[in-house]
Each structure stands twice: as C-alpha cells, then as structure tokens.
Amino acid sequence: MSHSIPLDPGEAVTLTQELVRLNTTNPPGNETPAIQLLESRLAGWGFETVTVPYLDGENRSHVVARLRGTGERPGLLFSGHVDVVPPGGVPWTVEPFGGEVRDGKLYGRGSCDMKSGVAALVTAAGALARSGVRLRGDLVVALTADEERNCLGAEALVNEPLFEGLGAVIVAEPTALELYVAEKGAFWVEVTFTGKTAHGSMPHLGANAVSAAADFLMRWERAYSTREPVHPLLGTPTLNAGVISGGVKVNVVPDRCTVELDMRTVPPLDHGELGAALQQVLREVTEARPGTGVEIRVLSDRPPVSCPADSELAQALAEAVQEIAGVDPAPRGVPYCTEACIWVPRLGIPAVICGPGSPGMAHQPDEFVPVAEVERAAEIYLRAAAKLLL
C-alpha cells in the first residue's frame, strides 16, 4: 500500500544536512537543538509529542512522538539517536559540521552514525502522517540523547510511560541497508585488587596486587573459554582485557592493581551466571594469595539480542530492502551494541537494525553517507511501516 503514499526522499537528505550542522558532540551532548528541530517537524505533521528532559534538562533531551492508529494492530517504534562522537584529532578535509554534499556523498560528523538514519525515519513518518491514511497501529518515533555513552539515554527514557502497545522496533543505525536481527551483549567489569606494599628486594613481606591481577587474568581466560556457545549469526563470545594499571615504582611491591574487562556475549549466556562465575574465580585467586583483597564493579551490563529472522517486521523490511535497494535481505548479526539492547528486553518486542551508511564509516574522519542510501532508507521505512500498520 505504500506506493500510494507520496514521499520526497530528498527531504531526508536535506534534514540530514540540517542535523549535521547542529553540533551535538557527546560529551557534552547538547542534543536539545536537534531534538527541538525534530519535535517541531513531527508535531507539525500531527504527531503527539513529548519532550523528556535528560540530565541537566536544559541542553539535553529526548522526544517521543506518537501518530495514533485504530489499535487493531500492534504499534511500530522508529528508533534513533542524535548525539555524535567528537571529530577526533585527525584533520578532516571537509568541515565536520558542514553537511556538505560532494560526488554523491553527504559529509559530516554523524552523517553516517546516525543522523541520516534519523532523518530517513522522520521523513517516512512524515509521509505517513501527511497522507491522511488511517493507521491500524500506532507509529511511535523515539529520538534520544546520550547513545554514544553506552545507550544511557534510552536506558533512562524507556522508564517513561510512552511505549505502550508496541509490537516491533526499527533501529536505524548504519548497516548499508542490510538487515541485522542480532547483536552481542556487552558485560564490562572493573576488578581492583588490593595488597600490601613492601620493598622490592623483600617481596615476601608484601602482597603483590599486580601478580594477583595477572593470576586472575590467566584463570578467567581459561574459565571464560569454556563458556563459548556458538550463535549462528553472532559467532562466539569474546574477552578483551582493555585496561590494566597498578604499581608506583619498580622496586616497590604494588598494593593496588585495576583491570577492566570487555566481554561480548551471545545467547544463551546469562550475565548473572557469568558474574557469579567471575566471583568464584576471584575467590580462588585471593584465597591462594594471603594478604590480597578484591573489589568488582560492573561498568556495563547490556544483554545480547537475538530476534526472529522471520518476524513480520523482518519480512517487511526484507521485501523492502530487496525491491528498493537491491540489497541481500539475509539476516545478519553485529558484535556491538545499539539501542536494541534497551528496547528488546524492556519492551519485549523484536527489532531489526537497518540504516543508511557503512558501519565501518562510523566515528571516522571525513565521515560520510551515500546520498542514494539516505533516500532509499526513507522509502524502505515507509514501505515497511505501511505493511505493518495499514
């Protein structure tokens, strides 16, 4: 039915440029100007909009907009974030916040990740609203702050009573318009060992926190490797010791050492069980090393997401990406987190991650998105939404 709904895909390109020209670098964020622009656009098309303050409530906010249907079908959530990472120290050949179009590419920080996806979602939502066609299910658009800092914005927003009646979510992160139905979880922990300082020539008089940390890393790598289920789309879990710091001087027994671990998990690994196993290994280390103690702090606990590849949403998007963009609709998985890690477990709905731009272009200098992908994304979202809601 979407072919009868007028859509100007160029609107998505223009809106992407407007968004790129608003500097929403996180930190500090300053997402409110972008949120105000999008809220104004959606409200003007007849959406019921709620702006939700975030943190300081002045320069940071989210917006949730709802276009009501008859309630005969479950609603559809369009999801995107407006914050971006800093331009970085490598010089750009274009203005990072210029939104310049050159040779079929739209340049700027956030053009790929993910202001073009946001613009395409909003353009499709506007086309549905302006068509006057009565929806059988609600269309809800959630545009968030503070995604780049571990999805903290969506984690706060999902607690608001604004998401009732939904049956599926499209997350418009860059995928080159491919379909991702699964993503790895992120379980990050900070482990701090304490010991007793002593002279380096008499280590028996102290308790070496660095040695305890090294012992722990060896033990945990062995234990973690035995917990490696294989997921058909995500492969196996991974473990990376990203930070280790301890000691003050070569001839002093260190009394403190901190390790930060990045564990990427796949179903059916349960983070609670993983944490319990980690605690057991820590007990083994400290019991074997008199005088040492340990503290553990969870830095991130985002569950893995795996949604049905044959859901109504996935089928609608598969048809759309194949027909509109000629993209292979085979379902895929990604090793990083998106806001699907918030929506799927908290709302109990399936997600598909699909958006314009290459995932490898995110956070790069001279970041860009192909203009044609932005235009096609808006058409894809409109067609999928029409199939699910009309």
Side-chain angles (χ1 to χ4, degrees), residues 135-226:
L135 303 182
R136 296 166 66 191
D138 293 1
L139 176 62
V140 177
V141 183
L143 305 172
T144 60
D146 209 9
E147 187 272 350
E148 294 291 358
R149 205 164 54 99
N150 201 24
C151 300
L152 292 180
E155 183 179 39
L157 181 62
V158 76
N159 295 317
E160 299 289 332
L162 299 170
F163 299 101
E164 71 280 356
L166 297 174
V169 54
I170 297 175
V171 180
E173 289 280 4
T175 68
L177 302 180
E178 293 179 340
L179 305 185
Y180 298 162
V181 298
E183 63 180 47
K184 287 188 174 182
F187 190 47
W188 299 348
V189 297
E190 177 189 79
V191 180
T192 300
F193 288 91
T194 57
K196 180 185 176 185
T197 189
H199 196 283
S201 66
M202 294 171 279
H204 60 285
L205 298 179
N208 193 312
V210 169
S211 295
D215 186 8
F216 158 69
L217 286 174
M218 296 296 290
R219 291 175 187 247
W220 182 239
E221 282 188 354
R222 288 194 297 271
Y224 190 79
S225 65
T226 66

Side-chain angles (χ1 to χ4, degrees), residues 228-249:
E228 288 202 352
V230 178
H231 188 275
L233 299 179
L234 298 172
T236 60
T238 59
L239 169 64
N240 179 58
V243 175
I244 184 166
S245 59
V248 293
K249 202 176 177 188

Side-chain angles (χ1 to χ4, degrees), residues 240-265:
N240 179 58
V243 175
I244 184 166
S245 59
V248 293
K249 202 176 177 188
V250 67
N251 62 341
V252 176
V253 174
D255 62 0
R256 189 175 185 85
C257 185
T258 298
V259 177
E260 293 181 22
L261 298 178
D262 177 349
M263 291 166 274
R264 301 295 170 133
T265 60

Side-chain angles (χ1 to χ4, degrees), residues 16 37 39 143 220-221 232 258 262 271 273 308 311 380 387:
T16 302
L37 168 65
E39 188 275 338
L143 305 172
W220 182 239
E221 282 188 354
T258 298
D262 177 349
H271 288 188
E273 295 177 4
S311 69
I380 288 165
K387 190 172 183 65

